[in-house]
Amino acid sequence: MFQCHNCGANKTHEEQVSEVFQIYGKPVLVENIPAIVCSRCGETTFSRETTEKIRQMLHGDHQPTKAISVDVYAFK
């Protein structure tokens, strides 16, 4: 049975999420990732299969589906 590593709850739901990864210092957005989400705190967890597919996409020969511009703010 699942137990959230963040808050200890065990109630979850499935959701598709977007996540930004830093690859060689460059932010890369992956959209529509199937995730298990804690219903209490919102912590997301990916299956091993999903994690491996993301790794192969970002470090393999896959090409991005689109490119976007991102505004960057420095917190001072």
Coordinates of all heavy atoms in Angstrom, one line a residue:
M1 N 0.8 -1.2 0.0 CA 0.0 0.0 0.0 C 0.9 1.3 0.0 O 1.9 1.3 0.6 CB -0.9 0.0 1.2 CG -1.7 1.2 1.3 SD -3.2 1.1 2.4 CE -2.6 1.0 4.0
F2 N 0.4 2.3 -0.7 CA 1.2 3.5 -0.8 C 1.1 4.3 0.5 O 0.1 4.4 1.1 CB 0.6 4.4 -2.0 CG 1.2 5.7 -2.1 CD1 2.3 5.9 -2.9 CD2 0.7 6.8 -1.5 CE1 2.9 7.1 -3.0 CE2 1.2 8.1 -1.6 CZ 2.4 8.2 -2.4
Q3 N 2.2 4.9 0.8 CA 2.3 5.9 1.9 C 3.1 7.1 1.5 O 4.2 6.9 1.0 CB 2.8 5.3 3.2 CG 2.8 6.2 4.4 CD 3.2 5.6 5.7 OE1 3.7 4.5 5.7 NE2 3.0 6.4 6.7
C4 N 2.5 8.2 1.5 CA 3.2 9.5 1.1 C 4.5 9.7 1.9 O 4.5 9.6 3.1 CB 2.3 10.7 1.2 SG 3.0 12.2 0.7
H5 N 5.6 9.9 1.2 CA 6.9 10.2 1.9 C 6.9 11.6 2.5 O 7.7 11.9 3.4 CB 8.0 10.1 0.9 CG 8.2 8.7 0.3 ND1 8.7 7.7 1.1 CD2 7.9 8.2 -0.9 CE1 8.8 6.6 0.3 NE2 8.2 6.9 -0.8
N6 N 6.0 12.5 2.1 CA 6.0 13.8 2.6 C 5.1 14.0 3.8 O 5.6 14.5 4.8 CB 5.5 14.8 1.5 CG 5.6 16.2 1.8 OD1 6.7 16.6 2.2 ND2 4.6 17.0 1.6
C7 N 3.9 13.4 3.8 CA 3.0 13.7 4.9 C 2.5 12.4 5.6 O 1.8 12.4 6.6 CB 1.8 14.5 4.5 SG 0.6 13.6 3.4
G8 N 2.8 11.2 5.0 CA 2.4 10.0 5.6 C 1.0 9.5 5.3 O 0.6 8.4 5.7
A9 N 0.2 10.2 4.5 CA -1.1 9.8 4.1 C -1.1 8.7 3.2 O -0.1 8.4 2.5 CB -1.9 11.0 3.5
N10 N -2.2 7.9 3.1 CA -2.2 6.8 2.1 C -3.3 6.9 1.1 O -3.5 6.0 0.3 CB -2.3 5.5 2.9 CG -3.5 5.4 3.8 OD1 -4.4 6.2 3.7 ND2 -3.5 4.4 4.7
K11 N -4.0 8.0 1.0 CA -5.0 8.2 0.0 C -4.4 9.0 -1.2 O -3.8 10.0 -1.0 CB -6.2 9.0 0.6 CG -7.4 9.1 -0.4 CD -8.6 9.6 0.2 CE -9.7 9.6 -0.8 NZ -11.0 10.2 -0.3
T12 N -4.6 8.4 -2.4 CA -4.0 9.0 -3.6 C -5.0 9.0 -4.7 O -6.1 8.4 -4.6 CB -2.8 8.2 -4.1 OG1 -3.2 6.9 -4.4 CG2 -1.7 8.1 -3.0
H13 N -4.7 9.7 -5.8 CA -5.4 9.6 -7.0 C -4.4 9.7 -8.2 O -3.3 10.2 -8.0 CB -6.5 10.7 -7.1 CG -5.9 12.1 -7.0 ND1 -5.6 12.8 -5.9 CD2 -5.6 13.0 -8.0 CE1 -5.1 14.0 -6.1 NE2 -5.1 14.1 -7.4
E14 N -4.8 9.3 -9.3 CA -4.0 9.4 -10.5 C -4.3 10.7 -11.2 O -5.4 11.2 -11.3 CB -4.2 8.2 -11.5 CG -3.7 6.9 -10.9 CD -3.9 5.7 -11.8 OE1 -4.2 5.9 -13.0 OE2 -3.8 4.6 -11.3
E15 N -3.2 11.3 -11.8 CA -3.3 12.6 -12.5 C -2.2 12.7 -13.5 O -1.2 12.1 -13.3 CB -3.2 13.7 -11.4 CG -3.5 15.0 -11.8 CD -3.5 16.0 -10.6 OE1 -4.0 15.7 -9.5 OE2 -2.9 17.1 -10.8
Q16 N -2.4 13.5 -14.5 CA -1.3 13.8 -15.4 C -0.7 15.1 -15.0 O -1.5 16.1 -14.9 CB -1.8 13.8 -16.9 CG -2.2 12.4 -17.3 CD -2.2 12.2 -18.8 OE1 -2.2 13.2 -19.5 NE2 -2.1 11.0 -19.3
V17 N 0.6 15.2 -14.8 CA 1.2 16.4 -14.3 C 2.3 16.8 -15.3 O 2.7 16.1 -16.2 CB 1.9 16.2 -12.9 CG1 0.8 15.8 -11.9 CG2 3.0 15.1 -13.0
S18 N 2.8 18.0 -15.1 CA 3.9 18.6 -15.9 C 5.1 18.8 -14.9 O 4.8 19.2 -13.7 CB 3.6 19.9 -16.6 OG 2.6 19.7 -17.5
E19 N 6.3 18.5 -15.3 CA 7.4 18.7 -14.4 C 8.6 19.3 -15.2 O 8.8 19.0 -16.3 CB 7.8 17.3 -13.9 CG 8.8 17.2 -12.8 CD 8.3 17.5 -11.4 OE1 7.1 17.3 -11.2 OE2 9.1 18.0 -10.6
V20 N 9.3 20.2 -14.5 CA 10.5 20.8 -15.1 C 11.7 20.1 -14.5 O 11.9 19.9 -13.3 CB 10.6 22.3 -14.8 CG1 11.9 22.9 -15.3 CG2 9.4 23.0 -15.4
F21 N 12.6 19.6 -15.4 CA 13.8 18.9 -15.1 C 15.0 19.8 -15.5 O 14.9 20.5 -16.5 CB 13.9 17.5 -15.8 CG 12.8 16.6 -15.4 CD1 11.7 16.5 -16.1 CD2 13.0 15.8 -14.3 CE1 10.6 15.7 -15.8 CE2 12.0 14.9 -13.9 CZ 10.8 14.8 -14.6
Q22 N 16.1 19.7 -14.8 CA 17.3 20.4 -15.2 C 18.2 19.4 -15.8 O 18.7 18.5 -15.2 CB 18.0 21.0 -13.9 CG 17.3 22.2 -13.3 CD 17.3 23.4 -14.1 OE1 18.3 23.7 -14.8 NE2 16.2 24.2 -14.0
I23 N 18.5 19.6 -17.1 CA 19.3 18.7 -17.9 C 20.5 19.5 -18.3 O 20.4 20.4 -19.2 CB 18.6 18.1 -19.1 CG1 17.3 17.4 -18.7 CG2 19.5 17.1 -19.9 CD1 17.5 16.3 -17.7
Y24 N 21.7 19.2 -17.8 CA 23.0 19.9 -18.1 C 22.8 21.4 -17.9 O 23.2 22.2 -18.7 CB 23.5 19.6 -19.5 CG 23.6 18.1 -19.7 CD1 22.9 17.5 -20.7 CD2 24.6 17.4 -19.0 CE1 23.0 16.1 -20.9 CE2 24.7 16.0 -19.2 CZ 23.9 15.4 -20.1 OH 24.1 14.0 -20.3
G25 N 22.1 21.8 -16.8 CA 21.8 23.2 -16.5 C 20.7 23.9 -17.3 O 20.5 25.1 -17.1
K26 N 20.1 23.1 -18.1 CA 19.0 23.7 -19.0 C 17.6 23.2 -18.5 O 17.5 22.0 -18.4 CB 19.2 23.3 -20.4 CG 18.2 23.8 -21.4 CD 18.5 23.3 -22.8 CE 17.3 23.6 -23.7 NZ 17.5 23.1 -25.0
P27 N 16.7 24.1 -18.2 CA 15.4 23.6 -17.8 C 14.6 22.9 -19.0 O 14.6 23.5 -20.1 CB 14.6 24.8 -17.4 CG 15.3 26.0 -18.1 CD 16.7 25.5 -18.3
V28 N 14.0 21.8 -18.7 CA 13.3 21.0 -19.8 C 11.9 20.7 -19.2 O 11.9 20.1 -18.1 CB 14.0 19.8 -20.2 CG1 13.2 19.0 -21.2 CG2 15.4 20.1 -20.8
L29 N 10.9 21.0 -19.9 CA 9.5 20.7 -19.4 C 9.0 19.4 -20.0 O 9.1 19.3 -21.3 CB 8.6 21.9 -19.8 CG 7.1 21.7 -19.5 CD1 6.8 21.6 -18.0 CD2 6.3 22.8 -20.1
V30 N 8.5 18.5 -19.2 CA 7.8 17.3 -19.7 C 6.4 17.4 -19.3 O 6.1 17.6 -18.1 CB 8.5 16.0 -19.2 CG1 7.8 14.8 -19.7 CG2 10.0 16.0 -19.5
E31 N 5.5 17.3 -20.2 CA 4.0 17.5 -20.0 C 3.3 16.1 -20.0 O 3.8 15.2 -20.5 CB 3.4 18.4 -21.0 CG 3.9 19.8 -21.1 CD 3.3 20.6 -22.2 OE1 3.2 20.1 -23.4 OE2 2.9 21.7 -21.9
N32 N 2.2 16.1 -19.3 CA 1.3 14.9 -19.4 C 1.9 13.7 -18.8 O 1.7 12.6 -19.4 CB 0.7 14.7 -20.8 CG 0.0 15.9 -21.3 OD1 -0.7 16.5 -20.6 ND2 0.3 16.3 -22.6
I33 N 2.6 13.8 -17.7 CA 3.3 12.6 -17.1 C 2.3 11.9 -16.2 O 1.7 12.6 -15.3 CB 4.5 13.0 -16.2 CG1 5.5 13.9 -17.0 CG2 5.2 11.8 -15.6 CD1 6.5 14.5 -16.2
P34 N 2.0 10.6 -16.4 CA 1.1 9.9 -15.4 C 1.8 9.8 -14.1 O 2.9 9.4 -13.9 CB 0.9 8.6 -16.1 CG 2.1 8.4 -17.0 CD 2.5 9.8 -17.4
A35 N 1.0 10.3 -13.0 CA 1.6 10.3 -11.7 C 0.6 9.8 -10.7 O -0.7 9.9 -10.9 CB 2.0 11.7 -11.3
I36 N 1.1 9.4 -9.5 CA 0.2 9.1 -8.4 C 0.4 10.4 -7.5 O 1.5 10.8 -7.2 CB 0.7 7.9 -7.6 CG1 0.6 6.6 -8.5 CG2 -0.1 7.7 -6.3 CD1 1.3 5.4 -8.0
V37 N -0.7 11.0 -7.1 CA -0.7 12.2 -6.4 C -1.3 12.0 -5.0 O -2.4 11.5 -4.9 CB -1.4 13.3 -7.1 CG1 -1.4 14.6 -6.4 CG2 -0.8 13.5 -8.5
C38 N -0.7 12.4 -4.0 CA -1.2 12.3 -2.6 C -2.4 13.3 -2.5 O -2.3 14.4 -2.8 CB -0.1 12.7 -1.6 SG -0.7 12.8 0.1
S39 N -3.5 12.7 -2.0 CA -4.7 13.5 -1.9 C -4.7 14.5 -0.8 O -5.4 15.5 -0.8 CB -5.9 12.6 -1.7 OG -6.1 11.8 -2.9
R40 N -3.8 14.3 0.2 CA -3.7 15.3 1.3 C -2.7 16.5 0.9 O -3.1 17.6 1.1 CB -3.1 14.6 2.5 CG -3.1 15.6 3.7 CD -2.4 15.1 4.9 NE -3.1 14.0 5.6 CZ -2.6 13.2 6.5 NH1 -1.4 13.4 6.9 NH2 -3.3 12.3 7.1
C41 N -1.5 16.2 0.5 CA -0.5 17.3 0.3 C -0.2 17.6 -1.1 O 0.5 18.5 -1.4 CB 0.7 17.0 1.1 SG 1.8 15.7 0.4
G42 N -0.6 16.7 -2.1 CA -0.3 17.0 -3.5 C 1.1 16.5 -4.0 O 1.4 16.7 -5.1
E43 N 1.8 15.8 -3.1 CA 3.1 15.2 -3.5 C 2.9 14.2 -4.7 O 2.0 13.4 -4.6 CB 3.8 14.5 -2.3 CG 5.1 13.9 -2.6 CD 6.2 14.9 -2.7 OE1 6.1 16.0 -2.3 OE2 7.3 14.5 -3.2
T44 N 3.8 14.4 -5.7 CA 3.6 13.5 -6.9 C 4.7 12.4 -6.8 O 5.8 12.6 -6.4 CB 3.8 14.3 -8.2 OG1 5.0 14.9 -8.2 CG2 2.7 15.3 -8.4
T45 N 4.3 11.2 -7.3 CA 5.2 10.1 -7.3 C 5.0 9.4 -8.7 O 3.9 9.3 -9.2 CB 4.8 9.0 -6.3 OG1 4.9 9.7 -5.0 CG2 5.8 7.9 -6.3
F46 N 6.2 9.1 -9.3 CA 6.1 8.4 -10.6 C 6.5 6.9 -10.5 O 7.4 6.6 -9.7 CB 7.1 9.1 -11.6 CG 6.9 10.6 -11.8 CD1 8.0 11.4 -11.6 CD2 5.7 11.1 -12.1 CE1 7.8 12.8 -11.8 CE2 5.5 12.4 -12.3 CZ 6.6 13.3 -12.1
S47 N 5.9 6.1 -11.3 CA 6.3 4.7 -11.3 C 7.7 4.5 -11.9 O 8.2 5.4 -12.5 CB 5.3 3.9 -12.2 OG 5.5 4.2 -13.5
R48 N 8.3 3.4 -11.6 CA 9.6 3.1 -12.2 C 9.6 3.2 -13.7 O 10.5 3.7 -14.3 CB 10.1 1.7 -11.7 CG 10.5 1.7 -10.3 CD 11.1 0.4 -9.9 NE 11.4 0.4 -8.5 CZ 11.2 -0.6 -7.6 NH1 10.6 -1.7 -8.0 NH2 11.5 -0.5 -6.4
E49 N 8.5 2.6 -14.3 CA 8.4 2.6 -15.7 C 8.3 4.0 -16.3 O 9.0 4.3 -17.3 CB 7.2 1.8 -16.2 CG 7.3 0.3 -15.8 CD 6.9 0.0 -14.4 OE1 6.3 0.8 -13.7 OE2 7.2 -1.2 -14.0
T50 N 7.6 4.9 -15.6 CA 7.4 6.3 -16.1 C 8.8 7.0 -15.9 O 9.2 7.7 -16.8 CB 6.3 7.0 -15.3 OG1 5.1 6.3 -15.5 CG2 6.2 8.4 -15.6
T51 N 9.4 6.8 -14.8 CA 10.7 7.4 -14.6 C 11.7 7.0 -15.6 O 12.5 7.9 -16.2 CB 11.3 7.1 -13.2 OG1 10.3 7.5 -12.2 CG2 12.6 7.7 -12.9
E52 N 11.7 5.7 -16.0 CA 12.7 5.3 -17.0 C 12.3 5.9 -18.4 O 13.2 6.2 -19.1 CB 12.7 3.7 -17.1 CG 13.6 3.1 -18.1 CD 15.1 3.5 -18.0 OE1 15.5 3.9 -16.9 OE2 15.8 3.4 -19.0
K53 N 11.0 6.0 -18.7 CA 10.6 6.6 -20.0 C 11.1 8.0 -20.1 O 11.5 8.5 -21.1 CB 9.1 6.4 -20.2 CG 8.7 6.9 -21.6 CD 7.2 6.6 -21.8 CE 6.9 7.0 -23.2 NZ 5.5 6.7 -23.6
I54 N 10.9 8.8 -19.0 CA 11.3 10.2 -18.9 C 12.9 10.2 -19.1 O 13.3 11.1 -19.9 CB 10.9 10.8 -17.6 CG1 9.4 11.0 -17.5 CG2 11.6 12.2 -17.4 CD1 8.9 11.4 -16.1
R55 N 13.6 9.4 -18.4 CA 15.1 9.4 -18.6 C 15.5 9.1 -20.0 O 16.3 9.8 -20.6 CB 15.7 8.3 -17.7 CG 17.2 8.4 -17.6 CD 17.8 7.1 -17.0 NE 17.6 5.9 -17.8 CZ 18.3 5.7 -18.9 NH1 19.2 6.5 -19.4 NH2 18.1 4.6 -19.6
Q56 N 14.8 8.1 -20.7 CA 15.1 7.8 -22.1 C 14.8 9.0 -23.0 O 15.5 9.3 -23.9 CB 14.4 6.6 -22.5 CG 14.9 5.3 -21.9 CD 14.1 4.1 -22.2 OE1 13.1 4.2 -23.0 NE2 14.5 2.9 -21.7
M57 N 13.7 9.7 -22.7 CA 13.3 10.8 -23.5 C 14.3 11.9 -23.4 O 14.7 12.5 -24.4 CB 11.9 11.4 -23.1 CG 10.8 10.7 -23.6 SD 9.2 11.5 -23.5 CE 9.2 12.1 -21.8
L58 N 14.7 12.2 -22.2 CA 15.6 13.4 -22.0 C 17.1 13.1 -22.3 O 17.8 14.1 -22.6 CB 15.5 13.9 -20.5 CG 14.1 14.3 -20.1 CD1 14.1 14.8 -18.7 CD2 13.6 15.4 -21.0
H59 N 17.5 11.9 -22.3 CA 18.9 11.6 -22.5 C 19.1 10.7 -23.8 O 20.3 10.4 -24.1 CB 19.5 10.8 -21.3 CG 19.6 11.6 -20.1 ND1 20.5 12.6 -19.9 CD2 18.8 11.6 -19.0 CE1 20.3 13.2 -18.7 NE2 19.3 12.6 -18.1
G60 N 18.0 10.5 -24.5 CA 18.1 9.7 -25.7 C 18.0 10.5 -27.0 O 18.4 11.7 -26.9
D61 N 17.5 9.9 -28.0 CA 17.4 10.6 -29.3 C 16.1 11.3 -29.6 O 15.9 11.8 -30.6 CB 17.7 9.6 -30.4 CG 19.1 9.1 -30.4 OD1 20.0 9.8 -29.9 OD2 19.3 7.9 -30.9
H62 N 15.2 11.3 -28.6 CA 13.9 12.0 -28.7 C 14.1 13.5 -29.0 O 15.0 14.1 -28.4 CB 13.1 11.7 -27.5 CG 12.6 10.3 -27.4 ND1 13.4 9.3 -26.8 CD2 11.4 9.8 -27.6 CE1 12.7 8.2 -26.8 NE2 11.5 8.4 -27.3
Q63 N 13.2 14.0 -29.8 CA 13.2 15.4 -30.1 C 12.0 16.0 -29.3 O 10.9 15.4 -29.2 CB 13.1 15.7 -31.6 CG 14.3 15.2 -32.4 CD 15.5 15.9 -32.0 OE1 15.6 17.1 -31.8 NE2 16.6 15.1 -31.7
P64 N 12.1 17.3 -28.8 CA 11.0 17.9 -28.2 C 9.8 18.2 -29.2 O 10.1 18.3 -30.4 CB 11.6 19.2 -27.7 CG 12.9 19.4 -28.4 CD 13.3 18.1 -28.9
T65 N 8.6 18.2 -28.7 CA 7.5 18.4 -29.5 C 7.3 19.9 -29.8 O 6.6 20.3 -30.8 CB 6.2 17.9 -28.9 OG1 6.0 18.4 -27.6 CG2 6.2 16.4 -28.7
K66 N 7.8 20.8 -28.9 CA 7.7 22.2 -29.1 C 8.7 22.9 -28.2 O 9.3 22.3 -27.3 CB 6.3 22.7 -28.8 CG 5.9 22.5 -27.4 CD 4.4 22.9 -27.2 CE 4.0 22.6 -25.8 NZ 2.6 22.9 -25.5
A67 N 9.0 24.2 -28.4 CA 9.9 25.0 -27.6 C 9.1 26.2 -27.1 O 8.2 26.7 -27.9 CB 11.1 25.4 -28.4
I68 N 9.3 26.6 -25.9 CA 8.7 27.8 -25.4 C 9.7 28.7 -24.8 O 10.8 28.3 -24.4 CB 7.6 27.4 -24.3 CG1 8.3 26.7 -23.1 CG2 6.5 26.5 -24.9 CD1 7.4 26.4 -21.9
S69 N 9.3 30.0 -24.6 CA 10.1 31.0 -23.9 C 9.6 31.1 -22.5 O 8.4 31.0 -22.2 CB 9.9 32.3 -24.7 OG 10.6 33.3 -24.0
V70 N 10.6 31.3 -21.6 CA 10.2 31.3 -20.1 C 10.8 32.6 -19.5 O 12.0 32.9 -19.7 CB 10.8 30.1 -19.4 CG1 10.5 30.2 -17.9 CG2 10.3 28.8 -20.0
D71 N 9.9 33.4 -18.8 CA 10.4 34.5 -18.1 C 11.1 34.0 -16.8 O 10.7 33.1 -16.1 CB 9.2 35.4 -17.7 CG 8.6 36.1 -18.9 OD1 9.3 36.3 -19.9 OD2 7.4 36.3 -18.8
V72 N 12.2 34.7 -16.5 CA 13.0 34.3 -15.3 C 13.1 35.5 -14.3 O 13.4 36.6 -14.7 CB 14.4 33.8 -15.7 CG1 15.2 33.5 -14.5 CG2 14.3 32.7 -16.7
Y73 N 12.8 35.2 -13.1 CA 12.9 36.2 -12.0 C 13.9 35.8 -11.0 O 14.0 34.6 -10.7 CB 11.5 36.4 -11.3 CG 10.4 37.0 -12.2 CD1 9.7 36.1 -13.0 CD2 10.2 38.3 -12.3 CE1 8.7 36.6 -13.8 CE2 9.2 38.8 -13.1 CZ 8.4 37.9 -13.9 OH 7.5 38.4 -14.7
A74 N 14.7 36.8 -10.5 CA 15.6 36.5 -9.4 C 15.0 36.9 -8.1 O 14.6 38.1 -8.0 CB 16.9 37.2 -9.7
F75 N 14.9 36.0 -7.2 CA 14.3 36.3 -5.9 C 15.4 37.0 -5.0 O 16.5 36.5 -4.8 CB 13.9 35.0 -5.2 CG 13.2 35.3 -3.9 CD1 11.9 35.6 -3.8 CD2 13.9 35.2 -2.7 CE1 11.2 35.8 -2.6 CE2 13.3 35.4 -1.5 CZ 11.9 35.8 -1.4
K76 N 15.2 38.2 -4.6 CA 16.1 39.0 -3.9 C 15.6 39.4 -2.5 O 14.5 39.5 -2.3 CB 16.5 40.3 -4.6 CG 17.2 40.0 -5.9 CD 17.6 41.3 -6.6 CE 18.3 40.9 -7.9 NZ 18.7 42.1 -8.6

